[in-house]
Amino acid sequence: MQFVKTEDLKPGMRLAKPIYNRLGVLLYERNTNLTAQGISSIRNFALIGIYILEPAEPLPPLSEEEIQFEKFQTVYMFRLRDEMSKIVNGKQPDKLYDLCHNILREYGNLNHKIVFSQNIRSSGDFVYKHGLCTAILCAMLSHKLNYSEEEQVALVEAALLYDMGYLYQDIDKLSNTDEIDSDDYNRLRTAQKSAWMLLHPQSNEFNLPKLTLKIISEMIHPSNHKDHKDLQRIAWNDATLILRVADKFDHMTAMRHGVEPQSELRAVKYLMEYPEFYKPTIVSALAECIEILPQGSCIDLSNGEKALVLESNPSNFLQPFVLKFSNNAVFDLKNPRVFKNLQVDDIMKTMDYRLPVDENTIKQFNPDEHIIEITRRFREAKARWEREHGNKKPVQPQ
């Protein structure tokens, strides 16, 4: 699967992901061969590009939940755009509360991990897709961290609205917003303050939850930056700390023009590097909400070689059971002696080396006695950990 810019699309190319309209009606199914008319329609959607299957690439497996996630993002992106338009025009966002509850109904009570795949973003829809995906992450995190329904609603509503400042900036021209002294960072902060005033925080004409306004005010506060000298002087609301993590994760993993997205693994590793800003318990909760290194993942190892995840590790996603491609050797990264010299560097991105692997392919793998013995010990250790710790959350490395 590869990303192809809209202007480079050609008839005969096969779609890797479905395309829906704003009502959730399926326009183009996966594996559809593009026609000249189809390409013209896609260009009318103002998409910067789409994912295309390579000529010999089989259609990768996609669960019903993943298909529904793609559809949900499209439909609710348009709904959020409608609500933001009302705010910009001084009108009551009367469907905002329903929007929050729909997000929470779908993603605010999950007890399993999901594949968090995102739609491609253009400068015209970035703010809506960013707000929606961040809100979905906040819904999952607040559930995992046992927030009340009232707190969840307030947090999700803040996630939808806190970055409206991007409406006043060309996202394609902002390249240095992480540097606290950069012009881009200062321009974005100014735009965020302008968007903040659209919410009428003093009079609260839109009857937003007080917690929602507090979270947004803290998110746009000048000290809300990992390198700011006054960061530790403020007692940040816990919900703001959740939104911080969701915001950064979404920014790092989203595909947009001119910016290479980071893998989920690389994004979580980055969050772990700054525990004073990104609270470790929230980052750990994020790793429990989304699939980062699931079984069948193709990965780059720290020694430069490629490998396949044979079995994920529920107690530490960074230490799975892997098969190295070069010599079919297996490694249990949970073993301290192995992990000392070999770690997972990233999820593979180079399509020339990626192998399409699903559960059926893995079942056809015939292990030798050595692999069987190591797998048995790994599973026994896993079962022993579960017996000893019960329902306690696994401790993630910090």
Side-chain angles (χ1 to χ4, degrees), residues 134-191:
T134 305
I136 293 173
L137 288 169
C138 285
M140 293 190 291
L141 285 168
S142 58
H143 170 66
K144 180 66 67 174
L145 296 169
N146 300 314
Y147 272 47
S148 68
E149 182 180 356
E150 182 180 2
E151 291 171 324
Q152 281 190 293
V153 171
L155 174 56
V156 169
E157 202 157 357
L160 292 173
L161 301 177
Y162 77 106
D163 252 351
M164 282 180 57
Y166 280 109
L167 292 173
Y168 296 93
Q169 293 291 318
D170 185 346
I171 183 64
D172 293 341
K173 294 182 179 179
L174 292 176
S175 58
N176 198 18
T177 56
D178 283 340
E179 296 295 330
I180 197 169
D181 295 324
S182 72
D183 291 337
D184 285 344
Y185 179 83
N186 292 328
R187 280 197 296 270
L188 180 57
R189 286 300 188 192
T190 299

Side-chain angles (χ1 to χ4, degrees), residues 65 69 103-116 136 139-145 152 288-290:
E65 184 176 59
F69 188 49
I103 292 172
L104 286 168
R105 185 185 66 244
E106 295 292 331
Y107 301 103
N109 55 12
L110 296 179
N111 292 312
H112 64 275
K113 294 183 178 182
I114 71 168
V115 176
F116 197 79
I136 293 173
M140 293 190 291
L141 285 168
S142 58
H143 170 66
K144 180 66 67 174
L145 296 169
Q152 281 190 293
E288 294 175 31
C289 290
I290 61 173

Side-chain angles (χ1 to χ4, degrees), residues 187-210:
R187 280 197 296 270
L188 180 57
R189 286 300 188 192
T190 299
Q192 287 174 327
K193 291 177 182 177
S194 298
W196 167 246
M197 298 310 298
L198 292 175
L199 300 178
H200 306 290
Q202 301 302 324
S203 61
N204 195 13
E205 293 178 17
F206 298 147
N207 297 314
L208 299 173
K210 291 182 180 179

Side-chain angles (χ1 to χ4, degrees), residues 20-64:
Y20 300 92
N21 68 8
R22 63 173 295 150
L23 298 178
V25 176
L26 180 64
L27 300 179
Y28 298 99
E29 179 61 275
R30 294 195 309 146
N31 210 31
T32 298
N33 288 307
L34 287 178
T35 62
Q37 182 180 0
I39 293 173
S40 178
S41 297
I42 290 172
R43 287 173 178 162
N44 291 334
F45 294 156
L47 297 175
I48 62 173
I50 57 177
Y51 286 106
I52 295 295
L53 294 171
E54 295 185 19
E57 183 180 3
L59 188 67
L62 200 63
S63 69
E64 182 62 28

Side-chain angles (χ1 to χ4, degrees), residues 295-308:
Q295 185 184 55
S297 300
C298 295
I299 56 176
D300 292 319
L301 296 172
S302 56
N303 63 357
E305 296 202 54
K306 314 293 182 182
L308 170 73

